[in-house]
Amino acid sequence: MSTPIPRRRRLAALALAFGFAAAALSPAAEPSPSPAQADNPIVQTIYTADPAPLVHNGRVYLYTGHDEDGSTWFTMKEWRVWSSDDMVNWTDHGSPLNIDTFAWARQDAWAGQAVERGGKFYWYVPVVNDATGRMAIGVAVADSPTGPFRDAIGHPLVENGEIDPTVFIDTDGQAYLYWGNPNLWYVKLNADMTSYSGGVNQIPLTTQGFGTRPGGTSRPTLYEEGPWVYKRNSLYYMVFAAQCCSEFIAYSTAPGPTGPWTYRGTVMPTQGSSFTNHPGVIDFKGSSYFFYHNGALPGGGGFTRSVAVERFAYNADGTIPLINMTSTGAPQVGTLNPFVRQEAETIAWANGVETERASEGGMNVGWIENGDWIKVKGAAFSTGARSFTARVASATSGGRIELRLDGPNGALVGTCTVPGTGGWQTWTSVSCAVSGASGTHDLYLKFTGGSGYLFNANWWQFTA
């Protein structure tokens, strides 16, 4: 942290409260009692919502919204990015896009999606147009999946008062942008990804295409919002938030990108202590993954949501199976190499800490107090580690980093002492000997010391 300000939010004692999700999940999806196995939600340092995963160069980049602490509405001012190469250890890249990026926007950093084309990354997001007071779709562009993003055109790409854009590039190169609540719309994007041709087109919401909503409301179909469109083999899928409220996730399929759509059923039932949900579907390293959000973290609910993920397999006929929320999450793909520099904000589970921008670039972990810890899953120590180095800063008297295996109170293999450095962004490197770390283990960096905030951590690395 830059200054010793009070913690914005304290997710206290999660190590002792991993039963938090029991009330939030369905009986069939109750969490494991073992802390080491609870990896959903995948971000614990802030509240996140509306997941939009993107696979690029062997990593999954996860674009999310950010629910403000203590929200009683969809109070959202920025979007965030995380990435992972193993589906369990997620690196926090901060916020490369916010409302102020769009000079014409007023509020509501709601659900969007990013896509790569021609070496650039285009992020489509809904915001309120300050001039009209209506929701509009903006587009931001960056040279990197983690930004920084800038307004690509200086005005809305399209505006009709509706929300939740999803973007899809077909195998023939034609790109489509879909969005809508209460209706469903699409445009054909031009190759520049910042303009479109052929006008704004409305997709007919028929009960054959999108199911029948019970209760005889003014909306005859189940379609509510949050569409996610993709192609698998020769079939087009539209996964969407259904009914309201509470929402569940349903899907339809079509032989082409604009229909005709046929309703296929439920993907994820209503679960998870949030009356909204939002899908994101990808294939990564040979498996399929379904992203969603719930209210499973302490203080969570319909306006303080958290993104989670499940691995799934399509049925033989291409249909999507029923997917339940769990606190276990997706299994790890491969292992983490502790002998290369790892960012401190690469986290499988965090207890008590938060993140912020670091003066040396990237993010750092801060607001560290006695007893807080970070779990990194599946660190492959092979035949053993000799020493550990961490980049740290402290405006107080520092503290200690205990290196523990397989639990916050697991085997102690090393302890590094962190001194006061004279400032929260005054960085130094500390090292300590390591003994007894071999094989593959979940690594816990447990922070100990006196009262108050102890130090910040930027990165760490073991030597073999």
Side-chain angles (χ1 to χ4, degrees), residues 81-109:
V81 182
W82 283 261
S83 73
S84 176
D85 66 358
D86 64 7
M87 296 304 295
V88 295
N89 297 302
W90 292 89
T91 301
D92 187 345
H93 298 286
S95 172
L97 180 66
N98 60 55
I99 290 291
D100 293 337
T101 303
F102 303 100
W104 49 270
R106 179 194 304 171
Q107 65 189 50
D108 295 343

Short mmCIF file of all heavy atoms in Angstrom, two decimals, residues 81-109:
data_model
loop_
_atom_site.label_atom_id
_atom_site.label_comp_id
_atom_site.label_asym_id
_atom_site.label_seq_id
_atom_site.Cartn_x
_atom_site.Cartn_y
_atom_site.Cartn_z
N VAL A 81 -8.52 -7.13 -14.82
CA VAL A 81 -7.98 -8.23 -15.62
C VAL A 81 -7.14 -9.14 -14.72
O VAL A 81 -6.32 -8.65 -13.92
CB VAL A 81 -7.11 -7.73 -16.78
CG1 VAL A 81 -6.61 -8.91 -17.61
CG2 VAL A 81 -7.88 -6.77 -17.67
N TRP A 82 -7.32 -10.44 -14.87
CA TRP A 82 -6.48 -11.46 -14.27
C TRP A 82 -6.02 -12.41 -15.38
O TRP A 82 -6.62 -12.46 -16.45
CB TRP A 82 -7.26 -12.27 -13.23
CG TRP A 82 -7.44 -11.56 -11.92
CD1 TRP A 82 -6.71 -11.72 -10.78
CD2 TRP A 82 -8.43 -10.58 -11.59
NE1 TRP A 82 -7.17 -10.90 -9.79
CE2 TRP A 82 -8.23 -10.19 -10.25
CE3 TRP A 82 -9.47 -9.99 -12.31
CZ2 TRP A 82 -9.02 -9.24 -9.61
CZ3 TRP A 82 -10.26 -9.04 -11.68
CH2 TRP A 82 -10.04 -8.68 -10.35
N SER A 83 -4.96 -13.18 -15.10
CA SER A 83 -4.56 -14.19 -16.07
C SER A 83 -3.99 -15.41 -15.35
O SER A 83 -3.53 -15.31 -14.21
CB SER A 83 -3.53 -13.64 -17.07
OG SER A 83 -2.27 -13.47 -16.46
N SER A 84 -4.03 -16.55 -16.06
CA SER A 84 -3.55 -17.80 -15.49
C SER A 84 -3.12 -18.73 -16.61
O SER A 84 -3.70 -18.70 -17.70
CB SER A 84 -4.65 -18.48 -14.66
OG SER A 84 -4.23 -19.74 -14.17
N ASP A 85 -2.10 -19.55 -16.35
CA ASP A 85 -1.75 -20.60 -17.30
C ASP A 85 -2.08 -21.99 -16.75
O ASP A 85 -1.79 -22.99 -17.41
CB ASP A 85 -0.28 -20.52 -17.72
CG ASP A 85 0.68 -20.80 -16.58
OD1 ASP A 85 0.24 -21.03 -15.43
OD2 ASP A 85 1.91 -20.78 -16.82
N ASP A 86 -2.69 -22.04 -15.55
CA ASP A 86 -3.01 -23.34 -14.97
C ASP A 86 -4.42 -23.42 -14.38
O ASP A 86 -4.78 -24.41 -13.76
CB ASP A 86 -1.98 -23.73 -13.91
CG ASP A 86 -1.95 -22.79 -12.71
OD1 ASP A 86 -2.83 -21.90 -12.60
OD2 ASP A 86 -1.04 -22.95 -11.86
N MET A 87 -5.22 -22.36 -14.52
CA MET A 87 -6.62 -22.30 -14.10
C MET A 87 -6.83 -22.21 -12.60
O MET A 87 -7.97 -22.19 -12.14
CB MET A 87 -7.42 -23.49 -14.66
CG MET A 87 -7.53 -23.51 -16.17
SD MET A 87 -8.24 -22.01 -16.88
CE MET A 87 -9.90 -22.07 -16.22
N VAL A 88 -5.77 -22.16 -11.82
CA VAL A 88 -5.94 -22.05 -10.37
C VAL A 88 -5.14 -20.91 -9.75
O VAL A 88 -5.58 -20.29 -8.79
CB VAL A 88 -5.60 -23.37 -9.64
CG1 VAL A 88 -6.57 -24.48 -10.03
CG2 VAL A 88 -4.17 -23.79 -9.90
N ASN A 89 -3.95 -20.64 -10.27
CA ASN A 89 -3.14 -19.52 -9.78
C ASN A 89 -3.37 -18.35 -10.73
O ASN A 89 -2.97 -18.39 -11.89
CB ASN A 89 -1.66 -19.90 -9.74
CG ASN A 89 -1.39 -21.03 -8.76
OD1 ASN A 89 -1.67 -20.91 -7.58
ND2 ASN A 89 -0.85 -22.14 -9.25
N TRP A 90 -3.99 -17.29 -10.22
CA TRP A 90 -4.41 -16.15 -11.04
C TRP A 90 -3.59 -14.92 -10.69
O TRP A 90 -3.48 -14.55 -9.52
CB TRP A 90 -5.89 -15.88 -10.86
CG TRP A 90 -6.75 -16.97 -11.43
CD1 TRP A 90 -7.18 -18.10 -10.78
CD2 TRP A 90 -7.25 -17.06 -12.76
NE1 TRP A 90 -7.91 -18.88 -11.64
CE2 TRP A 90 -7.98 -18.27 -12.86
CE3 TRP A 90 -7.16 -16.23 -13.89
CZ2 TRP A 90 -8.61 -18.67 -14.04
CZ3 TRP A 90 -7.79 -16.63 -15.05
CH2 TRP A 90 -8.50 -17.83 -15.12
N THR A 91 -3.03 -14.28 -11.71
CA THR A 91 -2.23 -13.08 -11.53
C THR A 91 -3.10 -11.85 -11.71
O THR A 91 -3.79 -11.70 -12.73
CB THR A 91 -1.06 -13.03 -12.53
OG1 THR A 91 -0.24 -14.19 -12.35
CG2 THR A 91 -0.21 -11.79 -12.34
N ASP A 92 -3.06 -10.96 -10.75
CA ASP A 92 -3.85 -9.72 -10.77
C ASP A 92 -3.11 -8.67 -11.60
O ASP A 92 -1.98 -8.29 -11.28
CB ASP A 92 -4.02 -9.24 -9.32
CG ASP A 92 -4.96 -8.05 -9.21
OD1 ASP A 92 -5.26 -7.41 -10.23
OD2 ASP A 92 -5.39 -7.76 -8.07
N HIS A 93 -3.75 -8.21 -12.67
CA HIS A 93 -3.16 -7.17 -13.52
C HIS A 93 -3.81 -5.81 -13.29
O HIS A 93 -3.54 -4.87 -14.05
CB HIS A 93 -3.29 -7.56 -14.99
CG HIS A 93 -2.56 -8.82 -15.34
ND1 HIS A 93 -1.19 -8.89 -15.45
CD2 HIS A 93 -3.03 -10.08 -15.58
CE1 HIS A 93 -0.84 -10.14 -15.75
NE2 HIS A 93 -1.93 -10.87 -15.83
N GLY A 94 -4.63 -5.69 -12.27
CA GLY A 94 -5.20 -4.41 -11.93
C GLY A 94 -6.32 -3.98 -12.85
O GLY A 94 -6.99 -4.80 -13.48
N SER A 95 -6.51 -2.67 -12.95
CA SER A 95 -7.60 -2.09 -13.73
C SER A 95 -7.03 -1.27 -14.88
O SER A 95 -6.63 -0.12 -14.69
CB SER A 95 -8.49 -1.20 -12.85
OG SER A 95 -9.42 -0.51 -13.65
N PRO A 96 -7.03 -1.83 -16.10
CA PRO A 96 -6.53 -1.09 -17.25
C PRO A 96 -7.61 -0.32 -18.00
O PRO A 96 -7.35 0.27 -19.05
CB PRO A 96 -5.96 -2.19 -18.14
CG PRO A 96 -6.90 -3.34 -17.90
CD PRO A 96 -7.34 -3.23 -16.45
N LEU A 97 -8.84 -0.31 -17.45
CA LEU A 97 -9.96 0.36 -18.12
C LEU A 97 -10.97 0.77 -17.06
O LEU A 97 -11.31 -0.03 -16.18
CB LEU A 97 -10.61 -0.59 -19.14
CG LEU A 97 -11.80 -0.06 -19.94
CD1 LEU A 97 -11.36 1.07 -20.88
CD2 LEU A 97 -12.45 -1.18 -20.75
N ASN A 98 -11.45 2.01 -17.14
CA ASN A 98 -12.46 2.48 -16.20
C ASN A 98 -13.38 3.49 -16.89
O ASN A 98 -13.19 3.82 -18.06
CB ASN A 98 -11.83 3.06 -14.93
CG ASN A 98 -10.91 4.23 -15.23
OD1 ASN A 98 -11.31 5.21 -15.87
ND2 ASN A 98 -9.67 4.14 -14.78
N ILE A 99 -14.36 3.96 -16.17
CA ILE A 99 -15.33 4.90 -16.73
C ILE A 99 -14.63 6.12 -17.33
O ILE A 99 -15.00 6.62 -18.40
CB ILE A 99 -16.33 5.33 -15.65
CG1 ILE A 99 -17.26 4.16 -15.28
CG2 ILE A 99 -17.16 6.52 -16.11
CD1 ILE A 99 -18.24 3.78 -16.36
N ASP A 100 -13.60 6.63 -16.64
CA ASP A 100 -12.93 7.84 -17.10
C ASP A 100 -12.18 7.64 -18.42
O ASP A 100 -11.80 8.63 -19.06
CB ASP A 100 -11.97 8.36 -16.03
CG ASP A 100 -12.70 8.86 -14.80
OD1 ASP A 100 -13.89 9.21 -14.93
OD2 ASP A 100 -12.09 8.90 -13.72
N THR A 101 -11.95 6.38 -18.82
CA THR A 101 -11.33 6.13 -20.12
C THR A 101 -12.18 6.71 -21.24
O THR A 101 -11.65 7.15 -22.27
CB THR A 101 -11.13 4.63 -20.33
OG1 THR A 101 -10.33 4.09 -19.26
CG2 THR A 101 -10.43 4.33 -21.66
N PHE A 102 -13.50 6.71 -21.04
CA PHE A 102 -14.44 7.23 -22.04
C PHE A 102 -14.89 8.62 -21.60
O PHE A 102 -15.70 8.75 -20.67
CB PHE A 102 -15.64 6.29 -22.17
CG PHE A 102 -15.26 4.87 -22.53
CD1 PHE A 102 -15.20 3.89 -21.55
CD2 PHE A 102 -14.98 4.53 -23.84
CE1 PHE A 102 -14.87 2.59 -21.87
CE2 PHE A 102 -14.63 3.22 -24.17
CZ PHE A 102 -14.57 2.25 -23.19
N ALA A 103 -14.39 9.64 -22.27
CA ALA A 103 -14.70 11.01 -21.87
C ALA A 103 -16.20 11.29 -21.94
O ALA A 103 -16.71 12.18 -21.25
CB ALA A 103 -13.94 12.00 -22.76
N TRP A 104 -16.92 10.54 -22.76
CA TRP A 104 -18.34 10.76 -22.96
C TRP A 104 -19.22 9.96 -22.00
O TRP A 104 -20.45 10.08 -22.03
CB TRP A 104 -18.73 10.41 -24.40
CG TRP A 104 -18.21 9.05 -24.84
CD1 TRP A 104 -17.02 8.79 -25.44
CD2 TRP A 104 -18.87 7.79 -24.69
NE1 TRP A 104 -16.89 7.44 -25.67
CE2 TRP A 104 -18.02 6.80 -25.23
CE3 TRP A 104 -20.11 7.41 -24.17
CZ2 TRP A 104 -18.35 5.45 -25.25
CZ3 TRP A 104 -20.46 6.07 -24.18
CH2 TRP A 104 -19.58 5.11 -24.72
N ALA A 105 -18.60 9.12 -21.15
CA ALA A 105 -19.37 8.23 -20.28
C ALA A 105 -19.57 8.83 -18.90
O ALA A 105 -18.75 9.63 -18.42
CB ALA A 105 -18.68 6.88 -20.17
N ARG A 106 -20.64 8.43 -18.25
CA ARG A 106 -20.98 8.95 -16.93
C ARG A 106 -20.79 7.92 -15.82
O ARG A 106 -20.23 8.22 -14.77
CB ARG A 106 -22.44 9.44 -16.91
CG ARG A 106 -22.89 9.99 -15.57
CD ARG A 106 -24.42 10.13 -15.53
NE ARG A 106 -24.93 10.95 -16.60
CZ ARG A 106 -26.24 11.08 -16.87
NH1 ARG A 106 -27.14 10.40 -16.15
NH2 ARG A 106 -26.65 11.83 -17.86
N GLN A 107 -21.25 6.69 -16.02
CA GLN A 107 -21.26 5.72 -14.93
C GLN A 107 -21.52 4.33 -15.49
O GLN A 107 -21.68 4.14 -16.69
CB GLN A 107 -22.35 6.07 -13.92
CG GLN A 107 -23.76 5.96 -14.48
CD GLN A 107 -24.83 6.51 -13.56
OE1 GLN A 107 -24.69 7.63 -13.06
NE2 GLN A 107 -25.87 5.72 -13.32
N ASP A 108 -21.52 3.34 -14.58
CA ASP A 108 -21.96 1.96 -14.82
C ASP A 108 -20.99 1.18 -15.71
O ASP A 108 -21.23 0.96 -16.90
CB ASP A 108 -23.36 1.93 -15.42
CG ASP A 108 -24.41 2.45 -14.45
OD1 ASP A 108 -24.11 2.53 -13.24
OD2 ASP A 108 -25.52 2.79 -14.90
N ALA A 109 -19.89 0.73 -15.11
CA ALA A 109 -18.92 -0.14 -15.78
C ALA A 109 -19.42 -1.57 -15.68
O ALA A 109 -18.96 -2.35 -14.85
CB ALA A 109 -17.54 0.01 -15.14
#
